[in-house]
Structure formats: structure tokens, C-alpha cells
Amino acid sequence: MKKKLTHNLFLKILSVIFAFVLWLMVVIVTDPYKTVIISDVPITVINEEEITGQGIGQIYSVVSPQDRTVSVRVYGQKSKVDKLTASDIKAVVDFGVVSSVGAAYIDVSEPEGVTIMSKTPEMMKIDVEALQERSFDVALEVVGDAAEGYIINDARISPNVTKITAPESVMAKIAKVGIQVDVSGLSSDINSFRKIVLYDASGKVIDYDKNENVTLSVSEVQTYVETYMIKEVPLEIYPSGEMQENIVLTNFSYEPDTIVLKGRKSDLATIDSIVVPENSGFVNLGDITESGNIVKDVSLFVPSGVYFLNEGGEKVTLHFEVMKIVEKTFDVFMSDIDFTNRPDDIEIEFADDISSVAITVKGYENDMKELTLKNVAPYVNLINSVEGNSYYKLRVRTSSSFTLVGEPVVNLTIKKIIEEMPEDPIVDPAEGLIEEPTTPVIN
């Protein structure tokens, strides 16, 4: 078998070569016709403004063919069709003649000497959507809590409005426009530019970066977050002036007695208390005539650059309790007076032709309302008493609720009680033999 295959091998090879050359000559001389399919011919769109130029604009998306290419079946001489490429064929779609269902004919031009037999697809299908334009407020959302001992004093953005142009399907999804800043553990300020985020109704982020049909007049806003330190310090208020006559301050207090401040750490570092000094005239005791409360503002005593943490924190309620000192006068009859150290053998009566004497005591108004002469307990000490007319100090019992006004005296006549008439002759006082004391005051 092998000998048969190799027998006259040279002649066999020569025959094959001769047959190929003969075939090639026939092809070259005759140039036969053939059919070829050219794929991925790019489609060119003309009159696009007929779609995009309506109103504030329209956009379209290609439904098919999505790769915007067409396959073309051509027929022609082999020498021509074999050389054809996708760039040699022009495929055009005119958006000026789009049907009501969004279909436009794909027109393919025939290269010279070549016939277009068919193309796939025949039509380009598009979806047309109107563009909408709307202004949105840019919301700033601060989440988290600042570091312990700090608060977020202010947070703002600039600008706070942006105008969005988007397809109506996208616009319908936009429920909120804004940025979110996480301040968890923050103890310093933030000052940076941040990208605006679009949210749908469920709070999900709408990714618009890859959609060339969505534009924002402002896509980034400057974000500023101001962080303040907070500090609680005691409040010290010192009143000035003197109480009016016969008015006594029994209690002075205020609330709150501490205040919470906010400010830069450097400003708060040296503040250990807020002091309202006596010479400030903030509280003038001379103006206080009755018990009650007064609300006053202590903000003038807070250093510049430092603020109250809460609104209304500068208001302090001053509480005053006062007692008025009033006088009360009693008519004292002989029977009301307690005579201490009184000898048993004397009689006492007022030297003046009176039935009573008046004494005045003073004390707190509330105490005076309930005070009786029995509480006053007037008395005269007769330890150094003498017979006849003399002035004696009228005293009262020691008490914390009242004091005696002045040093009242009473003119008393003291007589000894004589059981039997004396045997000695009675001397007429007019003759000056007996002198009675009339003016000395006996303690």
C-alpha cells in the first residue's frame, strides 16, 4: 500500500500544483459573484434635535439594537465583497421621521459595485422621555453625637438650593435632596465641600453619576459644622445697698445657682465661675420692700465669646424674703405692772393724775399681730425705791420677737402702810421739815 502511495510521488505533487494554478487562473479571469454578511456596521443618527429639542428637552434610549449596529448581507464580485469592512458601509437613522411607536428606518448605503441584499434589523426602536427641571432645597442632616463635653453649636451649608434637570422617570423618584454629616465623637469644626445626594421616598440613594441626562446646577455644597465645648460653673451674686428703714432681709437666694456655658475651649478654659459683684448694682437692697421673686438677666456678666447653653439660660430668679418692723403701743394700767423687789409694807399709785401710761414696742410685723400686753409683761424694779414721788424705769421682759422703743418711765407715789397712828406730832410739810423726792429715776 505504501508503495502505491509513493509511486510516482513527484508526478502526483506536480499535478496538484498544476490544478491549483489552473483554478486560480479561472477565478482571476472570471471573478465570480458571492454573498457576504458584514456585521457590526455602526448606525449614525441624524436630526437628533428633533427628539432632544422639544420643550426644555427630551432624551431617548435605544431599545434595539442596543449596540447601535446593524448586520448587512451584500452581494457582489468576490474581488469586491471580500475586501468590504463595516466602515465601508454607511447605516443612517433619521430621527426626523420616527413613527408614533418609536421606530425609525435604518437606511444602509450600497458601496459601489455591491448590492445590499438585506439588513438586520430593519428598524431602530427607541423610547422617548421628556426632561424636567425643578429646584430643590438642599437639606442638611446631622447624625450622631459630638464628643463628651461638646455640642454641635451650628451646622449649615452654602448654597442650599440646586436646580435638577432629569428625565421624568428619574425626577418622579426624587423625594429629598441633601447631604448627611456624621458628627459622632466630634470635638472640632468641619469645613469642607460635600457632594449632594438624591434620595427616593424610602431613603435609598439614587445613583445619578452614570446618567448623563441628570444634571445639577450645584452638585457640591460647602458644609460647615461648628463645635463648642460646654462647661457648668457656679453663679455668685452679691447684693449691694442697705435695706430701707424698718425692713429686714431675712433670706436672699437665687436659682439656678449654676449655669451651663458653651464656647470655644480656649475661651472657657479660664472661666471657673460667673460673679455678679456687689458694686455692679445688679441687686440693690434699697429697692426691696416686700417678699417676692424678681427675674433678671445675667448675660452682661458672661465674657465675650461665651454663650449660654440653652435659650433662656441667662434668666435668673432672685428670691427675697423680708420682714417689716412695726411698732405697737399698749396702755399700761397699774394692775398690768409687775413690781419686783417690792416691800410688803408699801402702797403704789401713779403720781400723776392718770390711770395708765403708754409704752411702745417694735418687732417683725407678723409677730406684732399676735403680741399682747401679757407677752410684753411690763415691770418696775423697786429695789432702790423710796417713799414719795419718784420716776422709775418701766421695763419689759427680754424677748427675741420685740424690743422696747425708748426708755419709758413712770412717776410713782410710794407710801408706807401705817397700821397705827404714830405718837410723834405730825409736822406740816409746808414748813419745809420734810423733803420728798420728785425727780430722780430709780432703776
Side-chain angles (χ1 to χ4, degrees):
M1 182 67 179
K2 182 178 180 181
K3 290 182 178 181
K4 289 183 180 181
L5 291 174
T6 56
H7 183 67
N8 295 327
L9 179 61
F10 175 75
L11 292 176
K12 292 179 179 178
I13 294 173
L14 187 62
S15 299
V16 172
I17 294 173
F18 178 76
F20 174 75
V21 171
L22 182 62
W23 174 83
L24 185 60
M25 291 177 63
V26 171
V27 169
I28 293 173
V29 172
T30 60
D31 195 9
Y33 284 81
K34 63 181 294 187
T35 299
V36 176
I37 295 176
I38 309 297
S39 300
D40 301 325
V41 176
I43 301 173
T44 301
V45 175
I46 62 174
N47 294 323
E48 192 175 33
E49 67 278 3
E50 294 292 332
I51 299 295
T52 60
Q54 302 297 316
I56 65 168
Q58 292 185 129
I59 55 101
Y60 67 91
S61 59
V62 177
V63 177
S64 67
Q66 291 187 347
D67 60 357
R68 298 195 180 196
T69 65
V70 64
S71 294
V72 180
R73 185 167 175 267
V74 300
Y75 173 77
Q77 290 179 310
K78 183 178 183 305
S79 58
K80 293 184 179 181
V81 298
D82 283 348
K83 297 178 181 179
L84 287 177
T85 64
S87 61
D88 296 322
I89 301 175
K90 305 299 180 184
V92 177
V93 169
D94 186 355
F95 274 5
V97 286
V98 177
S99 71
S100 60
V101 295
Y105 183 74
I106 302 174
D107 185 23
V108 178
S109 61
E110 293 183 345
E112 184 179 355
V114 175
T115 302
I116 302 298
M117 302 299 292
S118 63
K119 57 183 178 292
T120 305
E122 291 280 340
M123 309 288 286
M124 174 181 279
K125 293 184 179 180
I126 62 173
D127 279 340
V128 178
E129 189 174 8
L131 287 175
Q132 293 182 340
E133 190 175 77
R134 181 180 168 191
S135 292
F136 287 86
D137 292 331
V138 183
L140 172 60
E141 182 182 7
V142 178
V143 297
D145 296 316
E148 185 176 358
Y150 290 84
I151 62 163
I152 302 304
N153 183 64
D154 187 24
R156 57 183 182 271
I157 56 176
S158 179
N160 58 2
V161 175
T162 187
K163 183 180 291 185
I164 299 177
T165 302
E168 58 184 355
S169 60
V170 175
M171 190 70 77
K173 296 178 182 178
I174 301 175
K176 185 176 74 170
V177 176
I179 63 169
Q180 187 180 86
V181 180
D182 189 350
V183 298
S184 299
L186 188 67
S187 60
S188 59
D189 294 346
I190 294 176
N191 191 355
S192 62
F193 282 89
R194 303 206 173 195
K195 183 181 176 183
I196 291 176
V197 180
L198 309 184
Y199 300 90
D200 63 17
S202 64
K204 184 179 178 181
V205 175
I206 300 173
D207 185 7
Y208 63 90
D209 286 340
K210 298 177 182 179
N211 192 334
E212 62 182 11
N213 297 309
V214 178
T215 59
L216 280 69
S217 62
V218 176
S219 59
E220 289 187 342
V221 294
Q222 186 173 18
T223 306
Y224 178 65
V225 178
E226 184 179 47
T227 306
Y228 272 0
M229 183 180 179
I230 57 176
K231 187 175 184 180
E232 185 174 7
V233 297
L235 175 64
E236 301 174 15
I237 300 177
Y238 298 95
S240 62
E242 300 291 337
M243 297 297 296
Q244 295 182 22
E245 187 178 1
N246 294 328
I247 298 179
V248 176
L249 179 66
T250 59
N251 182 54
F252 169 63
S253 61
Y254 48 88
E255 62 177 0
D257 56 7
T258 63
I259 55 178
V260 183
L261 303 174
K262 65 180 180 180
R264 296 294 183 186
K265 184 177 181 180
S266 57
D267 293 329
L268 287 176
T270 58
I271 300 177
D272 296 319
S273 63
I274 298 299
V275 178
V276 180
E278 181 178 352
N279 60 8
S280 67
F282 184 75
V283 180
N284 185 1
L285 294 179
D287 297 332
I288 308 304
T289 59
E290 58 184 16
S291 299
N293 297 326
I294 300 176
V295 178
K296 301 201 74 172
D297 188 335
V298 295
S299 58
L300 290 177
F301 303 95
V302 175
S304 176
V306 177
Y307 312 93
F308 294 92
L309 175 62
N310 298 316
E311 183 178 352
E314 73 283 358
K315 301 298 183 182
V316 177
T317 300
L318 309 176
H319 178 66
F320 300 93
E321 292 183 15
V322 302
M323 293 291 288
K324 292 182 179 180
I325 297 177
V326 298
E327 294 182 351
K328 191 170 186 178
T329 300
F330 296 94
D331 289 326
V332 180
F333 295 89
M334 184 65 67
S335 59
D336 298 322
I337 301 174
D338 180 21
F339 294 99
T340 63
N341 298 307
R342 174 179 180 172
D344 295 334
D345 59 346
I346 65 171
E347 291 180 346
I348 306 170
E349 61 183 18
F350 290 123
D352 301 322
D353 189 16
I354 57 175
S355 60
S356 65
V357 294
I359 62 170
T360 301
V361 294
K362 66 179 180 179
Y364 293 140
E365 185 177 22
N366 289 345
D367 293 337
M368 291 295 98
K369 291 177 181 178
E370 304 297 329
L371 188 67
T372 64
L373 186 58
K374 184 177 180 180
N375 303 131
V376 175
Y379 72 95
V380 172
N381 188 355
L382 295 178
I383 191 168
N384 295 319
S385 63
V386 295
E387 291 185 66
N389 293 345
S390 296
Y391 285 95
Y392 296 85
K393 286 185 178 180
L394 184 59
R395 302 175 184 276
V396 296
R397 300 299 180 187
T398 302
S399 173
S400 60
S401 61
F402 64 88
T403 58
L404 188 62
V405 177
E407 295 183 351
V409 294
V410 291
N411 189 5
L412 300 177
T413 299
I414 297 178
K415 298 177 182 180
K416 280 196 174 188
I417 301 174
I418 301 174
E419 297 181 357
E420 296 180 0
M421 296 296 293
E423 296 179 358
D424 296 335
I426 298 174
V427 180
D428 186 354
E431 296 180 0
L433 298 180
I434 298 177
E435 183 177 342
E436 293 183 345
T438 59
T439 58
V441 175
I442 299 174
N443 291 328

